[in-house]
Amino acid sequence: MTTVLTPASPLTAADRCDRCGAQAYLRVVLTSGGELLFCAHHGRKFEPELKKIAAEIQDETERLTAAPASASTEER
């Protein structure tokens, strides 16, 4: 997926997948205007179609595998 980082508008726990309602980790800005939000699962599932219609894709799925900042050295 094409990744565009938009630090001014990170996704939060309040952002939900438009398909299933899970926490969103991808924001797809459409060339026609508007945006869609997807969980990691649905972002991967619809990736080929999204690439065709996206002006940009903000992908924050790396947060799913990152160690929490509060994790001890042994937990990381």
Side-chain angles (χ1 to χ4, degrees):
M1 240 180 231
T2 303
T3 303
V4 176
L5 299 177
T6 310
S9 59
L11 294 167
T12 68
D15 294 311
R16 311 312 286 181
C17 176
D18 289 327
R19 183 71 176 160
C20 70
Q23 184 172 348
Y25 288 93
L26 285 99
R27 174 181 285 126
V28 181
V29 179
L30 304 173
T31 55
S32 60
E35 68 180 24
L36 297 171
L37 300 176
F38 291 101
C39 64
H41 165 78
H42 285 111
R44 284 189 299 270
K45 180 177 179 179
F46 299 124
E47 179 180 2
E49 293 82 14
L50 292 173
K51 284 183 172 181
K52 295 175 188 175
I53 61 170
E56 66 181 66
I57 298 174
Q58 177 182 347
D59 183 352
E60 296 185 8
T61 55
E62 75 280 352
R63 292 176 29 210
L64 292 168
T65 57
S70 62
S72 68
T73 305
E74 295 82 33
E75 292 177 307
R76 292 184 189 187

